Amino acid sequence: VWNAKTGECVSTLEGHSGDVNSVAFNHDGSRIVSGSDDSTLRVWDAQTGKCVSTLEGHMAPVNSVAFNHDGSRIVSGSIDSYLHVWDPRTGKCVSTLKGHLETVNSVAFNHNGSHIVSGSRDDTVRVWDPRAEKYLSTLERSYDFISCMAFNHDGSRVVSGAYGINDFTARVWNTRTGECMLTLEGHSLHVDSVTFNHDGS
């Protein structure tokens, strides 16, 4: 953890036994979650650097983690093809989301936490209702692996990035209809990270 103003390393979070693939702060910056090749998530106190809980349930490396906006839930995606939703206060898995056929590479909550989006090596993006433990729509692709995606602020759009040999694009989707609204072309290699600005423009 670094001080963004001074460049000083404030603390080093140690405990995972495998590569760390993804980290995220909660909204107020008091907690950090990390996902690792050791198949676990760890929740850390951002001020002290101490691990406050270890979340176990995935059967393979964890590729992506995210907090919802109020910090009451964490979502994780794994090589085991599942998404797990966790209560960080208890360390318990509260729901398991099944539907992807391959590795889950990226996960995110929308702003109010009512929906989750995930991207997979099965070439699809899925939008989920975590409370009902089901996916609401599948944004079909026949191009290449989905490496990354993100919601806009109101949850009406998703942007996804591709990783593969045939597709170096980002695509913008309507989450209600599943329609691809826009294809962003110009990269000459894999798209590894995407995001919207705050107002979604």
Side-chain angles (χ1 to χ4, degrees):
V1 180
W2 307 82
N3 183 310
K5 294 180 180 178
T6 67
E8 176 193 5
C9 179
V10 177
S11 61
T12 300
L13 314 181
E14 297 182 274
H16 284 297
S17 59
D19 293 348
V20 177
N21 299 317
S22 182
V23 293
F25 274 104
N26 67 350
H27 187 68
D28 67 11
S30 63
R31 291 287 186 267
I32 296 167
V33 62
S34 56
S36 169
D37 274 359
D38 65 15
S39 304
T40 71
L41 293 77
R42 288 179 181 255
V43 180
W44 311 82
D45 184 308
Q47 298 302 312
T48 67
K50 292 182 178 180
C51 179
V52 297
S53 61
T54 300
L55 313 182
E56 298 179 289
H58 282 295
M59 303 301 292
V62 178
N63 287 333
S64 184
V65 295
F67 275 101
N68 68 350
H69 187 71
D70 68 8
S72 64
R73 291 290 184 266
I74 293 167
V75 62
S76 57
S78 168
I79 288 177
D80 63 16
S81 80
Y82 297 137
L83 287 77
H84 287 326
V85 180
W86 310 83
D87 184 334
R89 293 162 293 196
T90 66
K92 302 294 185 183
C93 177
V94 296
S95 61
T96 298
L97 307 180
K98 304 175 184 178
H100 281 300
L101 305 177
E102 290 279 355
T103 295
V104 178
N105 290 323
S106 187
V107 294
F109 279 100
N110 67 346
H111 182 71
N112 66 13
S114 62
H115 294 86
I116 291 167
V117 66
S118 59
S120 169
R121 284 177 65 99
D122 66 10
D123 305 344
T124 66
V125 174
R126 292 181 189 262
V127 180
W128 306 80
D129 180 342
R131 291 161 295 192
E133 296 192 41
K134 66 179 183 179
Y135 58 89
L136 302 175
S137 60
T138 301
L139 312 183
E140 297 287 353
R141 295 191 47 138
S142 58
Y143 309 104
D144 263 312
F145 305 149
I146 305 299
S147 59
C148 52
M149 61 325 92
F151 273 111
N152 68 346
H153 188 72
D154 68 8
S156 64
R157 303 287 184 269
V158 165
V159 60
S160 65
Y163 181 101
I165 59 173
N166 299 312
D167 187 4
F168 307 134
T169 66
R171 293 173 189 262
V172 180
W173 306 86
N174 183 313
T175 57
R176 297 183 179 91
T177 67
E179 172 193 7
C180 179
M181 304 176 63
L182 192 63
T183 300
L184 309 177
E185 299 180 278
H187 287 296
S188 58
L189 281 173
H190 313 135
V191 180
D192 295 316
S193 182
V194 290
T195 190
F196 282 96
N197 69 342
H198 184 71
D199 69 4
S201 63

